[in-house]
Amino acid sequence: MLVQDDLVITHLGPCAFESPLKRRAIQGFCDDRRILAETRLAPGAITASSVAFEEAGPRARLFFDPAQTTAAIVTCGGLSPGLNNVIRSVFLELHHNYGVPRVLGIRNGYQGLNPAEGLPPIELTPDRVEPIHNFGGTMLGSSRGPQDPGIIAQFLIDQKIDILFCVGGDGTQRGAHLIAQELLRRRLPKAVVGIPKTIDNDIAFVATSFGYNTALEKAAEVIEAAHVEAIGAPNGIGLVKLMGRHAGFIAAGAAVASQDANFVLVPEVPFPLDGFLQALDARIRRRGHALIVVAEGAGQHLIDQAATACDASGNVKMLDIGPFLADRIKAHFQQAKLPVNLKYLDPSYLIRSIRANASDCLLCDWMGRYAVHAGMAGKTDVMIGYWSHEMVHVPIGLAIRHERHMELDSDLWLAVMLTTGQPNWPIPPAR
Amino acid sequence: MLVQDDLVITHLGPCAFESPLKRRAIQGFCDDRRILAETRLAPGAITASSVAFEEAGPRARLFFDPAQTTAAIVTCGGLSPGLNNVIRSVFLELHHNYGVPRVLGIRNGYQGLNPAEGLPPIELTPDRVEPIHNFGGTMLGSSRGPQDPGIIAQFLIDQKIDILFCVGGDGTQRGAHLIAQELLRRRLPKAVVGIPKTIDNDIAFVATSFGYNTALEKAAEVIEAAHVEAIGAPNGIGLVKLMGRHAGFIAAGAAVASQDANFVLVPEVPFPLDGFLQALDARIRRRGHALIVVAEGAGQHLIDQAATACDASGNVKMLDIGPFLADRIKAHFQQAKLPVNLKYLDPSYLIRSIRANASDCLLCDWMGRYAVHAGMAGKTDVMIGYWSHEMVHVPIGLAIRHERHMELDSDLWLAVMLTTGQPNWPIPPAR
Amino acid sequence: MLVQDDLVITHLGPCAFESPLKRRAIQGFCDDRRILAETRLAPGAITASSVAFEEAGPRARLFFDPAQTTAAIVTCGGLSPGLNNVIRSVFLELHHNYGVPRVLGIRNGYQGLNPAEGLPPIELTPDRVEPIHNFGGTMLGSSRGPQDPGIIAQFLIDQKIDILFCVGGDGTQRGAHLIAQELLRRRLPKAVVGIPKTIDNDIAFVATSFGYNTALEKAAEVIEAAHVEAIGAPNGIGLVKLMGRHAGFIAAGAAVASQDANFVLVPEVPFPLDGFLQALDARIRRRGHALIVVAEGAGQHLIDQAATACDASGNVKMLDIGPFLADRIKAHFQQAKLPVNLKYLDPSYLIRSIRANASDCLLCDWMGRYAVHAGMAGKTDVMIGYWSHEMVHVPIGLAIRHERHMELDSDLWLAVMLTTGQPNWPIPPAR
Amino acid sequence: MLVQDDLVITHLGPCAFESPLKRRAIQGFCDDRRILAETRLAPGAITASSVAFEEAGPRARLFFDPAQTTAAIVTCGGLSPGLNNVIRSVFLELHHNYGVPRVLGIRNGYQGLNPAEGLPPIELTPDRVEPIHNFGGTMLGSSRGPQDPGIIAQFLIDQKIDILFCVGGDGTQRGAHLIAQELLRRRLPKAVVGIPKTIDNDIAFVATSFGYNTALEKAAEVIEAAHVEAIGAPNGIGLVKLMGRHAGFIAAGAAVASQDANFVLVPEVPFPLDGFLQALDARIRRRGHALIVVAEGAGQHLIDQAATACDASGNVKMLDIGPFLADRIKAHFQQAKLPVNLKYLDPSYLIRSIRANASDCLLCDWMGRYAVHAGMAGKTDVMIGYWSHEMVHVPIGLAIRHERHMELDSDLWLAVMLTTGQPNWPIPPAR
């Protein structure tokens, strides 16, 4: 249960400078505008909870003097559509609107914040960033894994960086939190602002993460291709593996968007393998084709039997659910003496490396610019959230303490159940 | 100011039948789940308003006996991406999930509800609707304008139609409200459920209408084309007219998504023509090219002088802002003796007639199926709204009493100001 | 060397019926219009060869009486963009322009011509074919493998089918040739017309097969995705496997279209594995990323060592070059102690199952309608070819005696060498 | 009638330098490889004409010493998809493969070759051209109209430019011819190489010009949108104006590709206005909707009556066929008292400003690089042609003496007649 204290944002100190942003466009935005954390009235309740996020946006007064500020941006983890848009909007907002003279691009994720890696930052310019939103990927490069917060703090001191924007997922935000805490401990007036990146849409307090809608678009296209294959051959079965290690948002969303899926398997529902195969068998006998969408994180509850079956040397590995399911399906129909044509599609890189679609372009521009507003106002250890169609400030420490899953009583999962007609497998209570 | 009484939904009567969806994931959905109407805590307030919408979704018990029900669906007004998706999802939900035996498609909008027009409804079948979501437009045809509610009520009686789904904009919902009121007056147990359709995104209590995101995608593509033209010729000016009679959502959203616009003119901001031309002149002299996005409803405050200037016979007409602006821009630069290359693009039909993108496919599926749930549960005079990322029930009478505009202190308009750098023209107080 | 006798087309007999197309623009088309088989003047030659194909197109007089004709169409082998377009244009030409009353769709490839398979043909109608060109795949289904020509001949007799259109690749055309020969042997006045389908673009006398250009479009998109991945990670290597069992047209064309590939490996060039790895190593050390496009049929000369290395039980299988190369690349850099990020993309189904692009729509319409013209004029054992931008008649027996590869002195391969800068590996003479 | 003398290419002199291009990739290419100009055997003929083009491609020996060469590239006229691709491939071929140290980009078309315009050329670099093929338009800018050949010759001397690549249409090639002639007259060892650009596909000896296939793709999309509009309203009529001032290739190709058009009006067929309106009337009464595609150059034979009707002040202007037809159609149905819904679409800029599709990317790369080969080998006054699927050398003087129209006995026009079923209007003999 959220309490208001969890939602308090850390400030570096009083705001001594006036914002150069055009007056009237920013009127109304202030620390007092708040967005309720709970938009649903609790069943039976007659009073709404007033626990609320601070609304994000430009502030009339700033902690940092724009003319004296240096900012840096780093992108971490796997690719997601929109990374370049975020880099570009952060830069353009700092450069054109605030007049910040020096903005650095950190190379290859957190590696570029460790001098030992030998990757000096690059200085961003309008020419350099101008066309990048037309391309997928990140112009700064990326990498996985953390670096020592102490080393990073020293790097920020050496490079005279006042604000660090950290674009990345759960792990990246954990790193950003540690950096922010280290800077606060050293009483350094430096801000760390997180921008959530997760193609899986699984970061807390981010209703829709950038890249997610683009991913749905492409994933739905892949599902349609699999559908064409499935209906083009006798007893055709299309099996599509989509992203989603801990949450089935992409699998569910793309399945509903395409309207072609008959089964959607997600991490949130530990489906029974036999039950699934029986339902698939029935579908094939009845209709002559079937289409299955599986999130990469689905079926991990099958890992023990899989590990035992697959790996004689005793190593228990993460189960690659795609080939595993393909094998089991083939085995089932071989035993049932029903010849099927199974086509397995694993489009992963094709989805995450494309350019952002229009709604993601909007999200990226908002998140990037609002992160700048937060940083210039001296807020730190703060992540940009997106809640009730509004941008909000979320303490990073709070965001990383929560996990976001697809609720099984949500509109999205209901849509999956209604469009696929798949069995409503019971969820084991022990989960 | 909304009060809870405004949000009460009309029911036809007690629900005597059990829903056949009970095997599906409908647990949790009920009339008691409510979504707050206000998600922002009023400045200075410490208590949130508990005025709340009824959450939409399937209900465990139904007013209509599915096996004895006839439903009909009608699409009205201009095209919008997703109409076919809505038709299809309404049908599939009724047919497959509820087992409703007879679903009619009304032809050519409300005309098809008037026997005098000679357009008998068509009976929908799975084969007929199967591929339609892959196409723009509406398989049922459409038309504009109302029909007599009394005649429609009689038509519903004659055709034994129990539930009528009305897909359309403001005018269509007004019509639906009149039909619902007529049916209630006659104490007929027939439900009318509205599904909001507006590519302009300007219906109250619908945060994002279906078709809007698809329109942004295409409109951004058009802006990019205009940008290429503008930079490809000496002193190139691209002028793009986009939809939006009363609200600038498409112009603003597409401009920010494309990142290419230098000026965005919307109905909400009665810009000064001279001020605009001066700013454009300065931009051309400084950068050698410029891009203007104008919503069709912008600049109507210029109509008096335009009418006087353009129309000698004294007729005051709706101003076609695109050619009007093009003329004024050419005249300005001719007088300024600065040769420019102006390219005017008016893509309207190209945007509204395409198929829905993935996120709109999701919205359409949700709205269509939730309209069915509402109708089967015996709710009437109700429109499906979309608020705080949740589907809600909105009394149609309430929806049509409100207009939705782009707020000038919203994230979207702020994004326009920040990405374009256009002047922050003062809004006349009298507006 | 082609001689004119090889190019003679078999006719069923004299043409007793007037074409109903005479009102259309068919003037000029006749058996006497011929397209030269050799468009290049032999080096040193001063006289061009006059060996020429019969030009395809409508004929003023027909062998079959349209009002009494039954035709059938069958699609075989793997999917290729445009199959539905061909089915549709064959049907529409027969139905609307010739007035043929009965056109059958054979289901699941040649299987549907064998009554033992229990797949009766479906009767095509305008409604049924209307929307199908908007979808990939084939509405008739497909399968691989031949059926007995005698059984098929009997089926054609039983079903009163006069003309059979066989859409498919090399194997399908072999089958069509056997059926045509069987019918001729039995002196049955039935025509067999082949329509070449090969996404690999490897059928003789077909300069561009339908589906090929669509495949290039999609394959180039995949290469771009791989490029984004390669430059987004330290020492990133993108490896893309594309279609092309015997010919490298797709790999080469998509590589040049995308301009992103550094290495293109095709069946026509038995590259040295060590030489390739050294060149890749040098590229990575010099530029930090690399992109490799490999046709599925490339590298089969490596099979012995691969088989020995991979398969202890002694079975020599077709080498799956994608994973094989990925393994070898990883092993090379592991040994070289240079950490790389290899991303392997195998988009196959995503490319072949999409709808045809505009130029393929044109090709399909032409080929389909010209096949109808050939059949109605009583030509048999004939395939529609495409040569020097003209549609021509090619004896099927001739087409299947030739293989089409990418010439290493062609514009296409030269473009690969010039855009990639890859080593010009010597071709072993013994090949 | 072509004779071999017309096809002789002008050389600047003997080739004293060895090509740095990799040996084996270019073997086979030489001045002796020739492509027949006539690929059709004249009816009744038994001997083919041996008039043949010189095949384009790299040469083993060069006229210019690469290390001492300066080249320049200029783009003229309206936009066409692929201009940036051509610029990029010309540069990359000169820079990477030939090692030419200095390549200039001329700004704003031929204006940039006149110092009086004050537009100094820019020096191209790999970084500058790297991403440009992903964008429509031309990075160099463009303009219309000629400049004085004497001034240009002096500019080339002053700037030490050895080879000038002129990318443009008919007018541009005329200009290039005059420049080449001027240089030859002055006995200056400077080469002028034309690269044909025409989205209308109307340059002689260029079977498919770059941009044409991309234009078809987009134009077909627009036709589909118009089709959706036409069928979505009672008696809907879609009217689409496409490019094509002198030739109907785009209108015809897009109409066939989309399969949706009922009437295609092109410059080559001076259709009778009344006949057209009667056929349209019949179609509307029979089917309830219709779709018309009109090339911008169609119907100019109607200009006298149109001029008289439209323009009271006596000025005879080029007829804008789109609004003219729209007016006549509306007037016809008003008189006939049949209410129709006419939607007029004029997508021009949206089509010509987009990025090239895959097959155009290939064409651009070929044409650009082959132009470089021609120039380096010292050929001048030469244009790259595309004939029988091969790149050839065409004397510019020859190309500009011919006009390319769509033949009315071609496959393309036949396809229009067969897919639309439109009347086969007689062509007046006086044409």
Side-chain angles (χ1 to χ4, degrees), chain A residues 6-21:
Chain A
D6 287 336
L7 275 55
V8 173
I9 303 300
T10 307
H11 286 69
L12 291 177
C15 287
F17 301 93
E18 196 171 324
S19 170
L21 290 191

Side-chain angles (χ1 to χ4, degrees), chain A residues 25 40 43 51 72 83 85 122 132 171-172 238 244 264 289 354 424:
Chain A
R40 186 177 278 166
V51 176
L83 282 167
N85 303 55
I122 57 176
I132 62 169
T172 306
V264 179
H289 58 90
I354 59 174
N424 193 9

Side-chain angles (χ1 to χ4, degrees), chain C residues 27-184:
Chain C
Q27 67 199 18
F29 287 92
C30 65
D31 283 3
D32 289 341
R33 291 221 305 203
R34 287 171 188 285
I35 303 301
L36 294 174
E38 281 292 324
T39 55
R40 186 177 276 167
L41 197 62
I46 53 169
T47 317
S49 158
S50 56
V51 176
F53 294 105
E54 190 177 288
E55 188 176 329
R59 298 297 187 256
R61 297 194 67 79
L62 310 178
F63 176 79
F64 292 105
D65 177 4
Q68 307 294 329
T69 298
T70 291
I73 180 165
V74 61
T75 54
C76 309
L79 299 184
S80 188
L83 281 166
N84 275 330
N85 302 58
V86 170
I87 295 167
R88 189 175 178 275
S89 289
V90 164
F91 171 76
L92 292 178
E93 186 63 23
L94 287 163
H95 179 85
H96 283 309
N97 289 336
Y98 282 95
V100 166
R102 185 162 165 261
V103 184
L104 303 176
I106 305 299
R107 287 162 62 198
N108 284 1
Y110 283 149
Q111 284 182 9
L113 292 167
N114 181 349
E117 296 282 345
L119 293 160
I122 57 178
E123 186 137 355
L124 299 180
T125 64
D127 274 2
R128 233 167 173 162
V129 307
E130 176 45 37
I132 62 169
H133 57 312
N134 297 291
F135 300 92
T138 162
M139 70 170 285
L140 298 176
S142 183
S143 68
R144 296 183 183 278
Q147 297 285 330
D148 180 80
I151 291 174
I152 293 176
Q154 192 55 47
F155 178 89
L156 299 178
I157 293 167
D158 294 344
Q159 294 275 349
K160 300 187 200 314
I161 294 168
D162 301 298
I163 316 177
L164 178 66
F165 298 97
C166 301
V167 191
D170 199 55
T172 306
Q173 299 306 328
R174 278 176 210 286
H177 181 54
L178 293 176
I179 300 167
Q181 292 295 317
E182 176 71 19
L183 294 169
L184 289 168

Side-chain angles (χ1 to χ4, degrees), chain A residues 79 108 111 136-138 141-142 218 221-222 225 228-229 231-234 342-345 347 349-350 352-353, chain C residues 79 108 111 136-138 141-142 218 221-222 225 228-229 231-234 342-345 347 349-350 352-353:
Chain A
L79 299 183
N108 284 1
Q111 284 183 8
T138 161
S142 184
K218 201 71 185 175
E221 187 189 317
V222 174
V228 166
E229 289 284 345
I231 61 178
L342 187 141
K343 311 280 168 70
Y344 172 53
L345 292 85
Y349 299 127
L350 300 179
R352 63 181 224 172
S353 58
Chain C
L79 299 184
N108 284 1
Q111 284 182 9
T138 162
S142 183
K218 201 71 186 174
E221 187 189 316
V222 174
V228 166
E229 288 284 346
I231 61 177
L342 189 142
K343 310 278 169 71
Y344 173 53
L345 292 85
Y349 299 126
L350 300 180
R352 63 181 224 175
S353 57

Side-chain angles (χ1 to χ4, degrees), chain A residues 138-363:
Chain A
T138 161
M139 69 170 285
L140 298 176
S142 184
S143 68
R144 295 183 183 278
Q147 298 285 332
D148 181 80
I151 291 174
I152 292 177
Q154 191 56 47
F155 178 89
L156 298 179
I157 293 167
D158 295 344
Q159 294 276 350
K160 301 188 200 314
I161 294 169
D162 300 299
I163 314 177
L164 177 66
F165 298 98
C166 300
V167 191
D170 199 55
T172 306
Q173 300 306 328
R174 278 178 211 284
H177 181 55
L178 293 177
I179 300 167
Q181 292 296 317
E182 175 72 19
L183 294 169
L184 288 169
R185 199 171 311 129
R186 298 191 188 191
R187 300 180 179 276
L188 290 168
K190 294 180 183 300
V192 176
V193 183
I195 301 176
K197 180 224 68 179
T198 158
I199 201 168
D200 291 357
N201 203 25
D202 62 354
I203 291 185
F205 310 116
V206 181
T208 311
S209 55
F210 72 81
Y212 174 66
N213 265 309
T214 304
L216 286 195
E217 197 75 46
K218 201 71 185 175
E221 187 189 317
V222 174
I223 293 174
E224 285 173 35
H227 180 64
V228 166
E229 289 284 345
I231 61 178
N235 293 329
I237 299 176
L239 173 61
V240 179
K241 185 174 78 172
L242 294 176
M243 285 156 295
R245 295 180 79 81
H246 305 294
F249 290 106
I250 291 183
V256 177
S258 76
Q259 299 270 313
D260 287 330
N262 306 114
F263 299 93
V264 179
L265 307 176
V266 294
E268 290 88 346
V269 178
F271 63 96
L273 184 57
D274 285 343
F276 161 68
L277 290 171
Q278 280 160 26
L280 175 63
D281 187 292
R283 158 95 202 172
I284 286 293
R285 288 177 199 274
R286 199 170 70 245
R287 299 294 303 276
H289 58 90
L291 204 148
I292 307 150
V293 176
V294 58
E296 62 181 331
Q300 298 303 317
H301 61 293
L302 306 169
I303 194 164
D304 290 339
Q305 64 190 96
T308 321
C310 302
D311 190 345
S313 60
N315 301 318
V316 177
K317 302 181 299 185
M318 167 80 166
L319 175 65
D320 188 348
I321 186 69
F324 172 80
L325 265 192
D327 285 348
R328 294 301 165 101
I329 291 168
K330 281 182 201 158
H332 169 87
F333 284 103
Q334 214 155 13
Q335 206 172 2
K337 298 202 192 309
L338 184 64
V340 295
N341 277 290
L342 187 141
K343 311 280 168 70
Y344 172 53
L345 292 85
D346 177 2
S348 160
Y349 299 127
L350 300 179
I351 290 177
R352 63 181 224 172
S353 58
I354 59 174
R355 67 177 276 186
N357 74 359
S359 56
D360 278 332
C361 287
L362 276 168
L363 259 184

Side-chain angles (χ1 to χ4, degrees), chain C residues 152-321:
Chain C
I152 293 176
Q154 192 55 47
F155 178 89
L156 299 178
I157 293 167
D158 294 344
Q159 294 275 349
K160 300 187 200 314
I161 294 168
D162 301 298
I163 316 177
L164 178 66
F165 298 97
C166 301
V167 191
D170 199 55
T172 306
Q173 299 306 328
R174 278 176 210 286
H177 181 54
L178 293 176
I179 300 167
Q181 292 295 317
E182 176 71 19
L183 294 169
L184 289 168
R185 198 171 309 130
R186 298 192 188 190
R187 298 181 181 277
L188 290 167
K190 294 181 183 301
V192 177
V193 182
I195 301 176
K197 181 225 65 178
T198 157
I199 201 170
D200 291 356
N201 204 24
D202 62 355
I203 291 185
F205 311 116
V206 181
T208 310
S209 56
F210 72 80
Y212 173 65
N213 265 310
T214 303
L216 285 195
E217 199 74 45
K218 201 71 186 174
E221 187 189 316
V222 174
I223 294 175
E224 286 173 33
H227 181 64
V228 166
E229 288 284 346
I231 61 177
N235 294 327
I237 298 176
L239 173 60
V240 179
K241 186 173 78 170
L242 295 176
M243 284 156 295
R245 295 180 78 81
H246 305 295
F249 289 106
I250 290 182
V256 177
S258 76
Q259 300 270 313
D260 287 331
N262 306 114
F263 299 94
V264 179
L265 307 176
V266 293
E268 290 88 346
V269 178
F271 63 96
L273 185 57
D274 286 343
F276 161 70
L277 290 171
Q278 282 160 26
L280 175 63
D281 188 290
R283 158 94 201 172
I284 286 293
R285 287 177 198 274
R286 201 170 68 247
R287 298 294 303 277
H289 58 89
L291 204 149
I292 307 151
V293 176
V294 58
E296 62 181 330
Q300 297 304 317
H301 62 290
L302 305 170
I303 194 164
D304 290 340
Q305 67 189 93
T308 320
C310 302
D311 190 347
S313 60
N315 300 319
V316 178
K317 304 180 299 186
M318 168 80 167
L319 176 65
D320 188 346
I321 187 67

